[in-house]
Amino acid sequence: MTINSNHLPEQANIRHPITVGEALQNWAKQIDRLEARWMLQSVLAVDAAFLVAHADRELSPDEAARYRQMLARRAAGEPVAYLTGERGFYDLILKVTPDVLIPRPETELLVETALSSIAPDRCSRVLDLGTGSGAIAITIAKHRPLAQVTAIDLSSRALAVARANAQAQAVDNVTFVQGDWYANLVAGEKFDVIVANPPYIAEGDPHLAQGDLRFEPNLALVAKHNGWDCIRQIITHAEAYLHRDGWLLLEHGYDQASACRELLEKSGFVSIFSRTDLAGIERVSGGQCGSFSTAECL
Ligand code: GLN
């Protein structure tokens, strides 16, 4: 979004007191209405219903200054989730910082797919590779309290955010591990489901210079070999970490579904599928640890 920050009220012109209604209508003309509400909710530490019910509530000078600063930073391009420090994902509100990718609605499809392959009445073992904010691991753990989830990330700063999210959600069935994909798993550890939303954007892709992506960690977005490096590593090594009939489920780029299915097939997976997101784009692909490789998949 490009916004002319000249349209924002100058500190010197602020007439105190200003009300909630004015803060939303007069100050945030250049900002998406929903985003302006999220920012004001964050400053006032209230929910959406409060703003509707208390349009006449006056902002203190400190609240007005903090809200104005958020509007200015948003106008300069910073993602609203980093400004408010949170983002809704599936049925949770998660803490996010610039150390983690902002959870996306399309990733809810991966969670939904994983949940449908994890029986609620069994102690399944689930592995989330590149957990970031912990969005996928924590949502699965919350909905499958009997499951034991291992969540891995290379970034210790991302893991700090993920741990804080698990604690805030009172989830105690996720174990966090720092590591490079499978490298730091205990030898011989096997899982029923492996999920991943790995980096899959090619270096130099023009999208990286647009919108929220400009502010997100490159480590979570960009993969070598034209966006394929991480997906390839995850698929080609997955079999050693999956129980027989275990599932590997991946989010990928808008144009990577068919090559992903091919890679799954070459790596011995069966029952290979792709699912489309709400925009009609094939966004999640997966497969089951094949029966021909029974010896390795016990
Ligand atoms: N889906 C994200 C985007 O294109 C990228 C996330 C990722 O690389 N895993 O904005």
Side-chain angles (χ1 to χ4, degrees), residues 87-150:
R87 172 53 47 100
F89 178 78
Y90 211 79
D91 55 354
L92 306 178
I93 306 282
L94 296 168
K95 173 182 154 73
V96 294
T97 74
D99 292 316
V100 298
L101 191 81
I102 300 165
R104 313 271 205 270
E106 55 267 35
T107 306
E108 294 174 349
L109 176 66
L110 180 59
V111 168
E112 212 177 279
T113 309
L115 288 176
S116 68
S117 63
I118 304 168
D121 55 351
R122 277 193 46 212
C123 304
S124 303
R125 296 218 49 205
V126 179
L127 175 62
D128 175 24
L129 293 170
T131 198
S133 65
I136 299 167
I138 293 166
T139 311
I140 291 175
K142 191 116 191 172
H143 285 264
R144 293 291 180 270
L146 291 184
Q148 286 299 326
V149 183
T150 300

Side-chain angles (χ1 to χ4, degrees), residues 101-102 104 106-107 196-201 207-208 212-213 216-223 251-254 256 283:
L101 191 81
I102 300 165
R104 313 271 205 270
E106 55 267 35
T107 306
N197 173 20
Y200 50 69
I201 302 177
H207 290 104
L208 295 167
D212 288 1
L213 278 75
E216 293 182 294
N218 251 30
L219 182 69
L221 291 169
V222 181
E251 178 178 320
H252 48 68
Y254 71 98
Q256 291 176 318
R283 181 62 70 182

